[in-house]
């Protein structure tokens, strides 16, 4: 699953398709901008910036640095999020793959 040609976005979206009971909340930095991206069932959406209508346009740039990832129980409820694992590093997340 993990290869040199696989992007961060592809890895996260594949994970989320394989774990539909989870929502990923990804905090990242790209081009000196902080972003928070939610991924559910293979689809990504930025919570801080406009998301392109075209699903083929990557929400997470290839050069992004993942600051941390939180795993939440689906369905996501913003008023009462249920965390499975909070603020894990990219290295820790890769171990889940």
């Amino acid at each position: 699953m993990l290869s040199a040609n696989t992007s961060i976005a592809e890895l996260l979206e594949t994970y989320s398709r394989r774990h539909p009971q989870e929502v990923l909340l990804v905090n990242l930095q790209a081009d000196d901008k902080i972003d928070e991206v939610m991924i559910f069932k293979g689809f990504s959406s930025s919570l801080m910036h406009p998301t392109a209508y075209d699903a083929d346009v990557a929400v997470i740039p290839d050069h992004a640095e993942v600051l941390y990832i939180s795993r939440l129980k689906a369905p996501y409820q913003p008023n009462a999020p249920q965390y499975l694992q909070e603020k894990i590093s990219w290295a820790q997340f890769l171990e889940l793959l």
Side-chain angles (χ1 to χ4, degrees):
M1 180 172 166
L2 189 59
S3 75
N5 295 329
T6 306
S7 72
I8 293 170
E10 289 173 313
L11 286 172
L12 294 170
E13 289 172 353
T14 298
Y15 176 89
S16 74
R17 277 191 296 277
R18 291 183 178 166
H19 299 88
Q21 72 283 4
E22 293 183 25
V23 175
L24 298 178
L25 193 56
V26 183
N27 287 270
L28 58 97
Q29 182 171 354
D31 301 322
D32 295 326
K33 292 182 182 177
I34 300 293
D35 199 0
E36 190 170 43
V37 175
M38 183 169 286
I39 304 174
F40 179 60
K41 292 186 178 181
F43 294 96
S44 300
S45 182
S46 173
L47 300 179
M48 300 176 73
H49 303 288
T51 299
Y53 180 74
D54 184 355
D56 291 332
V57 175
V59 175
I60 300 175
D62 289 340
H63 62 279
E65 175 190 357
V66 174
L67 303 175
Y68 57 87
I69 300 170
S70 295
R71 298 171 49 232
L72 296 96
K73 182 179 176 186
Y76 176 68
Q77 299 177 14
N79 294 334
Q82 296 179 6
Y83 287 91
L84 301 171
Q85 202 171 7
E86 199 170 357
K87 295 185 178 181
I88 60 175
S89 70
W90 178 240
Q92 290 170 316
F93 187 83
L94 287 175
E95 292 175 11
L96 297 174
L97 302 177

